[in-house]
Amino acid sequence: SRGYFPEPSKSILICNPENRLAAKSVLQEFDFKYSDGEWYIGGFIGTSDALDAWLTPKIAAWADGVQVFSKVARRFPQTAYAGLTKSLQSEWIYLQRVVPDIAESFAPLEKALAEEFIPALFGGSDAPSRETSQLPVRFAGVGVSNPVSAADANFALSLSMTADVSASLKSGSELDAIGYGLDSARVLRQAKKAREAELADKLERLKA
């Protein structure tokens, strides 16, 4: 009635390897593609091994991007800074919001930020410490967050803000869209307030 005609041959069934034979036996009438894990709506569904195989080259590509911006920063620091903070950084922050337990995978990216981009941005010897540079501009930093330490908090906030949607999908119940919007905004305000207090305290400790 909505003009949508599912095509099993274009669908992917994601399951643990040990369940694949049983799944194929039950669903043999469909020509599904079978996989241990796949990218889906910006995130990932599947086994931890499949996630690692998908995530590792993605983070390596971001680290390469940081190296490119580091080279640009030596002559055009403002351009490189804007490109990294307004574009590239947003990509991995989004991923951290939708995929849990991946903080340690971002170590190569943090290494590139700390050892290459920040020194290049400030001309080498005048570069601030990594602890300072990851603070927002309004707290005397440059807003280049540490992707390792920020990953779990990014996911936790996303999980809290979308709790009503998740509950609705799992139970099959109707979603109160207005109530969800109000509750999500409340969670975000509380998180921002707590974050502001945490940053202010960190800045005072650094000043001391």
Side-chain angles (χ1 to χ4, degrees):
S1 62
R2 293 174 174 81
Y4 176 69
F5 301 91
E7 295 188 44
S9 63
K10 294 184 178 180
S11 299
I12 301 171
L13 184 77
I14 301 169
C15 63
N16 285 316
E18 59 266 27
N19 297 329
R20 184 169 297 174
L21 287 177
K24 285 184 175 181
S25 175
V26 174
L27 302 168
Q28 57 185 327
E29 63 183 289
F30 303 108
D31 188 20
F32 288 138
K33 173 186 174 183
Y34 290 82
S35 174
D36 298 350
E38 294 285 333
W39 170 88
Y40 184 69
I41 316 181
F44 191 86
I45 300 174
T47 65
S48 57
D49 288 342
L51 172 60
D52 288 341
W54 173 79
L55 187 59
T56 299
K58 204 170 190 65
I59 291 176
W62 282 327
D64 288 343
V66 170
Q67 292 174 351
V68 171
F69 278 125
S70 299
K71 294 176 181 177
V72 174
R74 295 185 178 95
R75 290 191 62 191
F76 307 102
Q78 182 62 34
T79 300
Y81 173 72
L84 187 135
T85 58
K86 301 301 182 184
S87 179
L88 196 63
Q89 183 172 242
S90 299
E91 293 182 18
W92 67 71
I93 289 176
Y94 177 82
L95 180 63
Q96 291 177 343
R97 287 173 177 163
V98 297
V99 180
D101 305 321
I102 56 174
E104 294 307 317
S105 299
F106 284 86
L109 182 57
E110 168 56 21
K111 180 180 174 66
L113 290 168
E115 297 181 4
E116 297 186 44
F117 181 74
I118 296 301
L121 188 67
F122 285 88
S125 59
D126 293 330
S129 70
R130 188 66 183 101
E131 191 174 10
T132 302
S133 65
Q134 62 185 289
L135 294 173
V137 174
R138 64 186 180 281
F139 287 96
V142 292
V144 180
S145 62
N146 182 327
V148 175
S149 60
D152 291 339
N154 285 333
F155 182 79
L157 177 58
S158 178
L159 192 67
S160 297
M161 291 182 64
T162 58
D164 289 348
V165 174
S166 298
S168 174
L169 288 169
K170 289 176 181 178
S171 65
S173 59
E174 291 188 10
L175 175 68
D176 175 8
I178 295 176
Y180 160 66
L182 293 173
D183 190 58
S184 182
R186 176 187 57 79
V187 171
L188 182 59
R189 285 195 303 271
Q190 291 177 343
K192 283 184 175 180
K193 186 176 181 180
R195 179 63 174 160
E196 290 285 309
E198 178 187 343
L199 291 169
D201 179 65
K202 181 175 289 187
L203 178 60
E204 289 303 314
R205 286 188 285 107
L206 287 170
K207 286 162 60 179

